């Protein structure tokens, strides 16, 4: 039943969605947000690269990942027979051939250099576009996270994620002020940014999602699907912190009256960090609530500075865990391959071989 009419009372507008784009709010909330870098107005060539079928990686990827010794190159693509007749000339020829593999970054070389230099200077990054991180693609990296230590890893994640495709082609779908017939045109008019968030190790227990309606927090949900007994003991103090943070930093300054913000409360620190701002719409995961519940909360029982808050309890983990990325399941054998770095490297080798034969 969820889905069709619950949002009629508070329809989301294009402007509200745009207000939630990272590049739109980050400059204002820089001091309360972990350090991020924004590569603005991505060129069409970069967008096309992300949207294309298959994953084409720059030649350096194969050096970073597969070839231990870049100057020598391994013999993985040769059969035993071939190896026995490899002459220095033949090896040189092979090396030249490898160098001729088409470099997909040549159409956006400036951005490629920017990504490389940001990672080099500032360390690993978590990439995202205007609204979404490629959370559904973490399985593709050897560390199974969104922590990228090279531009190649950024490209792998962006290319493999359905959330990223959604940002690029469906981010305005829920807007009540856009006629369906104009949706495509409206999407074409959007500007996209690549956000590189400096990586830090988060304790997921301390991540919360806060639902704001008419400039008032109405509900807060734990973000991680696991049960942490200590959170229950600290519920009231967490609520106080969240209310103060909202009251001081966001309540009067965010451009929309109704939105959803995510925060992180690091252990043993008074500081609250803003992690993200999301549209108040069904495209945002309602976590421990259903959207129907959020929209129908009776606030008459709450003081002005109070709101509903849900934490995972000992018995509610299963329902929550099954929701995570459920629309983005990948075939199990692919996950098995990705869990096994050796297998993934084999896949990548096969892929490079394909590229070589395509280019010869
Ligand atoms: P959602 O779809 O739930 O709104 P999102 O796509 O907007 O998520 P973020 O909220 O930006 O993605 O980040 C996803 C997760 O990545 C966060 O819940 C947090 O655990 C982790 N994360 C976010 N920023 C960082 C960072 N700078 N370093 C390490 N991990 C991070
Ligand atoms: Mg978000």
């Amino acid at each position: 039943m969820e889905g069709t009419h619950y949002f009629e009372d508070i329809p989301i507008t294009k402007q509200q969605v745009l207000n939630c784009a990272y590049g739109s709010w980050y400059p204002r909330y820089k001091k309360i947000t972990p350090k991020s870098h924004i590569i603005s107005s991505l060129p069409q060539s970069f967008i096309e690269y992300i949207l294309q079928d298959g994953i084409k990686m720059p030649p350096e990827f194969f050096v970073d990942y597969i070839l231990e010794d870049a100057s020598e190159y391994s013999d993985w693509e040769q059969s035993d027979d071939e190896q026995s007749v490899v002459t220095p000339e033949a090896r040189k020829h092979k090396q030249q051939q490898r160098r001729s593999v088409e470099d997909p970054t040549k159409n956006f070389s400036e951005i490629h250099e920017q990504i490389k230099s940001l990672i080099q200077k500032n360390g690993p990054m978590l990439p995202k576009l205007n609204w979404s991180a490629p959370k559904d693609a973490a399985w593709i990296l050897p560390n199974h996270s969104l922590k990228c230590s090279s531009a190649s890893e950024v490209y792998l994640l962006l290319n493999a994620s359905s959330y990223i495709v959604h940002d690029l082609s469906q981010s305005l779908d829920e807007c009540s002020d856009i006629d369906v017939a104009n949706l495509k045109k409206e999407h074409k008019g959007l500007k996209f940014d690549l956000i590189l968030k400096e990586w830090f190790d988060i304790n997921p227990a301390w991540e919360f999602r806060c639902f704001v309606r008419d400039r008032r927090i109405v509900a807060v949900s734990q973000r991680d699907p696991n049960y942490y007994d200590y959170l229950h003991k600290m519920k009231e103090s967490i609520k106080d912190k969240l209310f103060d943070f909202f009251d001081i930093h966001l309540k009067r300054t965010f451009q929309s009256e109704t939105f959803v913000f995510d925060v992180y409360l690091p252990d043993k620190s008074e500081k609250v960090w803003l992690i993200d701002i999301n549209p108040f719409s069904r495209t945002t995961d309602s976590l421990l609530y259903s959207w129907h519940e959020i929209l129908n909360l009776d606030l008459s029982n709450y003081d002005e500075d109070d709101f509903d808050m849900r934490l995972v309890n000992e018995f509610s983990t299963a329902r929550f865990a099954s929701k995570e990325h459920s629309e983005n399941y990948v075939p199990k054998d692919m996950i098995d391959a990705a869990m096994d770095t050796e297998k993934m490297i084999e896949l990548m080798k096969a892929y490079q071989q394909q590229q070589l034969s395509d280019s010869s």
Side-chain angles (χ1 to χ4, degrees), residues 128 131 133 135 197-200 207 209 223 276 278:
K128 68 186 284 183
W131 297 277
K135 291 184 305 183
K197 309 212 278 182
E198 288 189 15
W199 182 270
F200 66 102
E207 287 192 90
R209 172 158 285 178
R223 245 184 127 181
D276 198 22
N278 312 281

Side-chain angles (χ1 to χ4, degrees), residues 108 116 246 262 311:
F108 51 88
K116 282 203 295 192
F246 172 68
D262 298 323
L311 300 171

